[in-house]
Amino acid sequence: MSETLFKVGFILVGLVLIYKLIFSGKRGVTLFEMQFKEGRLTSHKGKIPEKFQRECKAIAKTEKLTCVVRAEKAGSVRLHVSANVGDSITQRIRNQFPFEYYDKKSVDNSRQAG
């Protein structure tokens, strides 16, 4: 009886590990997320640069987009746009994104030369 429970427990632990390895993609920290429905901004999370938000709203309104625009930081910043958006519109959104805003190196002032 205890051997059977040990085997079942071992198999369950193995399945959990396999699940974690397959479905735990290396996603970074989400900086912000905007959800559009039929050209209108329905919800947003995080701190979105104002100019980028205005430009995205204008693009979404003219194109009547239903999509999600998300920025993640895992080393460098990546901009994700839903797959149902065409390549030309995705490129227009990427062109408006201020990558240089996030690429600034933070200066460490804790050690001062003496």
Side-chain angles (χ1 to χ4, degrees):
M1 181 72 178
S2 63
E3 288 182 24
T4 307
L5 289 176
F6 181 72
K7 288 178 184 178
V8 169
F10 185 74
I11 291 172
L12 287 176
V13 169
L15 289 175
V16 168
L17 286 175
I18 291 171
Y19 177 81
K20 289 289 186 181
L21 289 174
I22 292 174
F23 294 110
S24 67
K26 289 188 175 182
R27 291 180 36 169
V29 175
T30 300
L31 298 173
F32 66 81
E33 180 175 298
M34 296 187 293
Q35 295 181 357
F36 294 95
K37 186 172 184 180
E38 297 178 11
R40 298 181 60 114
L41 181 64
T42 57
S43 68
H44 60 87
K45 297 176 186 173
K47 184 177 180 196
I48 306 167
E50 289 181 33
K51 184 179 178 186
F52 179 67
Q53 184 176 4
R54 277 194 314 266
E55 296 295 330
C56 278
K57 281 180 168 180
I59 293 170
K61 186 175 182 179
T62 58
E63 303 293 334
K64 298 288 184 192
L65 293 180
T66 299
C67 67
V68 175
V69 178
R70 183 178 65 243
E72 291 181 349
K73 183 168 186 149
S76 62
V77 176
R78 296 196 59 187
L79 187 67
H80 300 279
V81 181
S82 296
N84 62 340
V85 178
D87 290 338
S88 61
I89 299 171
T90 300
Q91 189 60 48
R92 284 175 53 196
I93 293 171
R94 287 184 189 280
N95 289 344
Q96 298 300 323
F97 186 70
F99 286 102
E100 65 278 355
Y101 176 77
Y102 294 102
D103 289 340
K104 293 179 187 175
K105 302 289 183 199
S106 61
V107 178
D108 184 16
N109 292 329
S110 61
R111 278 184 63 181
Q112 296 179 357

